[in-house]
């Protein structure tokens, strides 16, 4: 662990007792800091809280005391989900107390360099692709961040001959100070999380934090097909590496219908790539560019691209049965993600969609409904999606009470050569604890159908 002594005797406040909060508090205590952890939820015998108390962490649960900052903290490590309108955060800002998220802490103690990946869509797929590319040969990649593995835990044992491939959300990037990835990737930019950031500009500025501390010896791989991104990276000191899906280009990495090109030279035939979808081509280009910059052999890159079929719950190919292909895209919790999924297929598609009703419109999907042969609605928005599908001219519509029933109906409505796609365009919380549980049930039900 790099420079753990920097925290010796420091007073730290960790806000939020979730995975990242527990990991940050435990790490800081190990480094000799005086740590207080505060969570708004009641303790109720939380085992994570008890573990921290054993380490000497002062744990306060059940609310945020008004005088909590009177102890005089040197810095705060905030759960990314806690908004900056939180009273403790507002008061800390007035007092000039540094407010970090856990990835800043990970960077400060890591001996390994970072490759940081952010974007509105495609972060997880890009992170996973790059990890697999680097994992072939004598490299030692580690995977961390918003993908589910706490970054500071990974960084605490990382060594100088390893590299941490980090998926970073806008929430996490808002809380960085010195964080500096050697290679950064910005996959794309669409309006998202406006309820948290307040505006599209603030959201984009948070994403741009990924290149804040980069120098000319570092690299920023960015989506050159989106001029809006260029506006937010114009002050970056990194060496810029553009990617484009709009044809062969002499700079950066590019693609046309035939090949992928690096600095204008063909390196991989598109025919060898198994991951479908135009949006996934963006992920492939950015991951490939990072792998090449890190010295990855082209044979390793080609091996991954010819076998990788998707991340679980993100355009994941499940199986082919009776001439139908089944895809699990449960992670598609908004219309933007479902739009990308629908545009990935030219075959007739049986779409299973619906979930938590937040009152949002589905109009963004209309131009992409031409290949939708049938729509099976589930969850709270099932009936609204049926009405929308009928207005788009979809011939078969049906509302199902459960996902298992929806799969049976979808199979009955399909023919040989069709695609059955779960891409809900809605959150899962009306019927499931998370999108993973929804996707797992889809996979299980498809396998039972096949059996």
């Amino acid at each position: 662990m790099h420079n753990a002594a920097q925290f010796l005797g420091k007073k730290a406040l960790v806000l939020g007792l979730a995975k990242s909060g527990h990991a940050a508090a435990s790490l800081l205590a190990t480094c000799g800091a005086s740590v207080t952890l505060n969570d708004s939820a009641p303790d109720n015998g939380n085992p994570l809280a008890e573990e921290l108390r054993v380490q000497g962490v002062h744990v306060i649960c059940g609310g945020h005391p008004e005088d909590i900052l009177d102890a005089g903290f040197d810095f705060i490590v905030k759960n990314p989900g806690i908004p900056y309108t939180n009273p403790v955060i507002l008061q800390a800002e007035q007092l000039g107390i540094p407010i970090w998220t856990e990835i800043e802490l990970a960077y400060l103690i890591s001996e390994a360099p970072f490759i940081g990946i952010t974007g509105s869509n495609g972060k997880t797929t890009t992170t996973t692709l790059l990890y697999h590319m680097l994992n072939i040969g004598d490299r030692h990649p580690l995977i961390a961040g918003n993908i589910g593995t706490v970054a500071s835990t990974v960084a605490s044992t990382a060594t100088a001959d390893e590299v941490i491939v980090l998926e970073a959300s806008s929430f996490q990037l808002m809380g960085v100070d010195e964080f500096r990835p050697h290679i950064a990737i910005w996959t794309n930019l669409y309006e998202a999380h406006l309820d948290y950031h307040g505006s599209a500009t603030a959201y984009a500025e948070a994403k741009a934090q990924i290149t804040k501390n980069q120098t000319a010896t570092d690299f920023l791989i960015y989506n050159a097909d989106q001029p809006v991104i260029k506006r937010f990276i114009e002050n970056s000191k990194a060496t810029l590496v553009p990617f484009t899906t709009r044809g062969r280009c002499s700079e950066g990495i590019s693609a046309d219908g035939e090949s992928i090109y690096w600095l204008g030279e063909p390196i991989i035939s598109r025919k060898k790539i198994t991951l479908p979808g135009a949006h996934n081509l963006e992920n492939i280009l950015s991951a490939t560019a990072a792998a090449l910059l890190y010295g990855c052999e082209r044979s390793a890159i080609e091996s991954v691209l010819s076998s990788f079929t998707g991340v679980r719950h993100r355009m994941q190919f499940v199986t082919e049965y009776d001439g139908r292909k089944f895809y699990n895209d449960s992670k598609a919790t908004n219309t933007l993600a479902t739009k990308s999924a629908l545009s990935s297929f030219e075959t007739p598609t049986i779409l299973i969609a619906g979930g938590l009703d937040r009152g949002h419109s589905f109009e963004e999907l209309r131009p992409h409904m031409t290949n939708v042969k049938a729509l099976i609605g589930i969850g709270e928005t099932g009936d609204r999606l049926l009405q929308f599908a009928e207005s788009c001219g979809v011939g078969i519509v049906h509302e199902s009470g459960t996902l298992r029933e929806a799969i049976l109906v979808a199979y009955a409505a399909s023919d040989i050569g069709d695609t059955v796609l779960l891409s809900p365009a809605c959150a899962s919380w009306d019927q499931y604890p998370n999108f993973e549980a929804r996707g797992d049930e889809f996979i299980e039900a498809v396998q039972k159908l096949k059996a």
Side-chain angles (χ1 to χ4, degrees):
M1 186 159 43
H2 171 69
N3 201 14
Q6 65 186 304
F7 298 114
L8 183 64
K10 297 290 186 180
K11 296 185 71 173
L13 173 63
V14 177
L15 284 180
L17 181 57
K19 284 194 304 182
S20 64
H22 174 266
S26 178
L27 175 61
L28 288 167
T30 301
C31 293
S34 174
V35 185
T36 297
L37 184 139
N38 179 218
D39 193 276
S40 60
D43 187 331
N44 294 333
N46 190 322
L48 296 180
E50 293 305 314
E51 286 180 20
L52 293 175
R53 289 190 177 103
V54 171
Q55 280 191 270
V57 175
H58 180 42
V59 180
I60 305 171
C61 292
H64 302 301
E66 292 183 4
D67 62 348
I68 193 169
L69 296 182
D70 291 352
F73 295 103
D74 293 301
F75 60 90
I76 293 172
V77 179
K78 179 186 76 69
N79 182 289
I82 296 174
Y84 283 80
T85 54
N86 179 283
V88 177
I89 299 299
L90 290 174
Q91 186 182 357
E93 288 178 331
Q94 292 176 350
L95 294 172
I97 301 173
I99 302 166
W100 300 338
T101 49
E102 176 263 342
I103 63 172
E104 174 73 7
L105 181 60
Y107 176 77
L108 292 174
I109 56 96
S110 177
E111 294 182 10
F114 282 78
I115 299 176
I117 297 152
T118 196
S120 301
N121 286 321
K123 296 185 296 295
T124 299
T125 300
T126 303
T127 301
T128 308
L129 272 169
L130 179 55
Y131 170 79
H132 287 306
M133 290 173 181
L134 297 177
N135 203 33
I136 297 177
D138 58 357
R139 289 169 184 80
H140 305 283
L142 305 169
I143 197 164
N146 201 49
I147 198 168
T149 308
V150 179
S152 60
T153 300
V154 174
S156 66
T157 58
T159 59
D161 63 342
E162 296 174 315
V163 59
I164 298 175
V165 183
L166 175 79
E167 178 184 331
S169 70
S170 59
F171 298 173
Q172 292 168 316
L173 288 169
M174 283 188 74
V176 298
D177 185 11
E178 297 183 30
F179 175 71
R180 175 190 164 194
H182 176 51
I183 300 174
I185 297 174
W186 191 344
T187 59
N188 47 51
L189 178 65
Y190 301 101
E191 285 193 5
H193 304 302
L194 300 190
D195 54 341
Y196 185 96
H197 292 285
S199 69
T201 298
Y203 171 61
E205 288 172 344
K207 291 291 189 188
Q209 289 277 92
I210 200 165
T211 190
K212 170 184 175 181
N213 297 309
Q214 287 188 297
T215 69
T217 61
D218 303 314
F219 299 92
L220 173 60
I221 301 164
Y222 71 97
N223 192 332
D225 295 336
Q226 290 193 312
V228 64
I229 290 181
K230 295 181 183 179
R231 180 160 62 92
F232 288 97
I233 63 171
E234 58 185 10
N235 294 322
S236 174
K237 294 180 175 63
T239 298
L240 300 181
V241 181
F243 72 82
T244 176
T245 63
R246 297 178 180 174
R248 187 172 185 169
C249 183
S250 60
E251 295 182 289
I253 193 163
S254 56
D256 58 18
E258 299 296 324
S259 298
I260 290 176
Y261 303 89
W262 176 244
L263 304 178
E265 296 299 319
I267 56 169
I268 298 170
S269 169
R270 289 282 302 274
K271 293 179 181 179
K272 296 182 179 180
I273 297 172
T274 56
L275 192 62
H279 64 295
N280 276 323
L281 182 58
E282 293 183 353
N283 304 330
I284 288 166
L285 292 180
S286 55
T288 300
L292 290 169
L293 289 170
Y294 208 77
C296 191
E297 293 81 7
R298 293 186 185 182
S299 59
I301 296 171
E302 186 173 308
S303 174
V304 172
L305 293 181
S306 63
S307 60
F308 186 82
T309 57
V311 177
R312 191 171 180 87
H313 309 303
R314 294 164 175 83
M315 283 294 290
Q316 173 195 4
F317 174 68
V318 177
T319 191
E320 181 171 350
Y321 168 61
D322 200 17
R324 287 87 163 158
K325 291 183 178 180
F326 292 79
Y327 284 84
N328 166 30
D329 192 36
S330 183
K331 179 63 171 63
T333 57
N334 55 50
T335 53
L336 175 62
T338 296
K339 180 176 72 172
S340 295
L342 289 174
S343 65
S344 300
F345 301 104
E346 297 180 357
T347 55
T349 301
I350 316 300
L351 175 64
I352 301 174
L356 183 70
D357 195 346
R358 287 173 164 165
H360 62 284
S361 170
F362 298 109
E363 280 300 315
E364 193 174 11
L365 297 177
R366 188 175 293 276
H368 303 273
M369 296 290 287
T370 53
N371 278 344
V372 175
K373 178 178 179 178
L375 187 141
I376 318 301
I378 59 173
E380 291 179 354
T381 58
D383 57 341
R384 286 208 298 122
L385 275 161
L386 262 60
Q387 295 173 22
F388 170 72
E390 288 175 338
S391 74
C392 295
V394 175
I396 303 171
V397 296
H398 182 91
E399 186 173 4
S400 293
T402 67
L403 185 52
R404 293 178 183 277
E405 177 192 328
I407 291 167
L408 296 176
V409 175
Y411 173 73
S414 65
D415 294 302
I416 293 174
D418 290 354
T419 297
V420 177
L421 169 68
L422 170 67
S423 189
C426 300
S428 60
W429 301 320
D430 58 331
Q431 294 180 306
Y432 301 92
N434 48 53
F435 72 82
E436 291 95 340
R438 179 170 61 188
D440 287 342
E441 182 168 307
F442 177 80
I443 294 169
E444 181 184 350
V446 169
Q447 297 295 357
K448 284 187 176 181
L449 172 68
K450 186 175 181 179

